[in-house]
Amino acid sequence: MQKVILIGRPNVGKSSLFNRLAKQRIAITSDISGTTRDTNKTQIEIFDRFCVLVDSGGLDESTEMFAKVQQKTLEEAKNSDIIVFMVDGKFMPQDEDKRIFYSLLKLDKPTALVINKIDGNKDEERSFEFNEFGAKNSFGISVSHNSGVDDLKSWIYRYLEDEIKPDVSLDLDEFLENFDENGEILEEKLENYDEKPIKVGIIGRVNVGKSSLLNALVKESRSVVSPTAGTTIDPVNESFIYEDRIYEFVDTAGIRKRGKIEGIEKFALNRTEAVLEQTDIALLVLDSSEPLTELDERIAGIASKFELGIIIVLNKWENKSEAEFERIREEIRDKFKFLAYAPIISVSALGGKRVHKLYPMILEIYKNFTQKIQTSKLNEMIAEATKTHPIPHEKGKVVKIYYAVQFGFAPPKIALVMNRPRSLHFSYKRYLTNKMRERFNLSGVPVVLIPKNRGSSDEEK
């Protein structure tokens, strides 16, 4: 199985990206330089292909121990198939980074330059300075916000062999056997989401009013409300019936900056993530009386990671104008680009203003989240999109989508059955996603597109 190695100097975010790609917390992450001193390895899935991901020790020759770590890392790079070289986008390009990057290019392997910690416009402007590296494949990402990571995954995917891991929980090939060569369904077996409770997680940093919002939604004092940050530690569950639908709300513990977590609060983040794993929709609560913070963006990234339906709730909205709402909305859209699909609503949880509008919003997004898109209409949209903007050829060879079919729900997951799946560029996938949003009601939910061979044994021709 092919190896993908993450390389870079200490504290550029390699272990965080490792955990993100592995979809679990394996590598220890901290702000202490040199936390990772050995290599962590795990088998991961990128879309429908598998590889071994390697988290290497930071490249640093300042001490004898770190010099040994660096030597081991470079040896591991020689034995890898794909190299992801990471730099810190909070700083200007470093000569040492450039020297290491050029030495890695000499290994003649697919190599990407990844500029991490691009969390805002200033970081994005600074990232242009890294053009001096002359990298053919460069990605600006924010691991903490899950921004740009999908583009990197799409690039890695192009170089992975079509190996099928045994006992995969989602057997896409088996699912596609239910469809003929035109994408028409042969047998339909869909889960009845209409009979399930809608699970809603309330998340945000400490003291933004999550507990007050839960109380307003269920119309009773279910959560303890206090100005003391960190009052809620364990998730608080409460069910409520609205128009014959059961809503299950969970008020999660407020998330602090990592350096300010105290006592049993250190478990709050893990418990919040455990809740989100079982949640359909997240209410991301922001304090409209305070400026947006880096921690708000980080929490938004956590919600995005779990591929949930999302509503952004501006709480503590008392006596503010429509112009002020538009200003804050534009700021959120600028900083939370990865949540461009999430609607924004302003409320006052303590005063109960506009809280009632959340119920129909949640229901609409849940329907979008669990909807079955008609195969014929989906393929009609794909045909129109590819005619308007044809798929770019790959080294002179035609890249063609035979048909598209939805193979998963919550959120909608679409397989693009085609002749050369590795050749579908991530920018074209983004184009198709935007076209889908124009045609179908997908407000508030992410969309997962997976290019796939017509048959697992087919070769690209």
Side-chain angles (χ1 to χ4, degrees), residues 118-121 145 147 291-294 297 300 329-339:
I118 305 301
D119 303 323
N121 290 335
H145 302 153
S147 174
L292 290 175
T293 70
E294 183 179 343
E297 296 177 56
R329 189 181 71 84
E330 289 303 314
E331 184 181 359
I332 291 172
R333 292 301 184 212
D334 178 59
K335 292 190 175 183
F336 298 177
K337 290 185 175 70
F338 52 97
L339 292 183

Side-chain angles (χ1 to χ4, degrees), residues 71-87:
Q71 182 180 358
K72 185 174 182 179
T73 293
L74 294 176
E75 285 298 320
E76 193 74 47
K78 292 178 183 178
N79 297 321
S80 297
D81 301 286
I82 300 168
I83 297 173
V84 175
F85 180 68
M86 297 183 68
V87 295

Side-chain angles (χ1 to χ4, degrees), residues 384-434:
E384 291 176 5
T386 53
K387 183 178 180 181
T388 303
H389 183 187
I391 305 173
H393 290 192
E394 174 73 3
K395 297 180 180 179
K397 296 181 179 179
V398 174
V399 181
K400 181 179 180 181
I401 298 175
Y402 296 122
Y403 64 88
V405 63
Q406 183 174 358
F407 69 92
F409 309 87
K413 299 178 179 69
I414 310 297
L416 302 175
V417 182
M418 52 193 303
N419 64 332
R420 312 182 68 80
R422 288 190 230 176
S423 301
L424 191 69
H425 197 264
F426 61 81
S427 60
Y428 199 87
K429 285 176 62 180
R430 188 186 302 126
Y431 162 73
L432 290 178
T433 300
N434 291 337

Side-chain angles (χ1 to χ4, degrees), residues 40 74 82 117 154 160 196 239 251 332 403 445 451:
N40 286 317
L74 294 176
I82 300 168
K117 306 180 185 179
S154 295
L160 295 180
K196 288 188 168 186
S239 296
D251 174 21
I332 291 172
Y403 64 88
V445 302

Side-chain angles (χ1 to χ4, degrees), residues 21 39 44 83 104 117 119 145 151 188-189 209 223 257 277 359 365 367 385 388 397 408-409 424 447:
L21 294 174
T39 53
I44 67 167
I83 297 173
L104 294 172
K117 306 180 185 179
D119 303 323
H145 302 153
D151 292 345
E188 189 166 15
K189 296 179 181 179
S223 277
K257 287 186 178 179
E277 285 180 355
Y359 289 107
I365 290 174
K367 288 179 178 178
T388 303
K397 296 181 179 179
F409 309 87
L424 191 69
V447 179

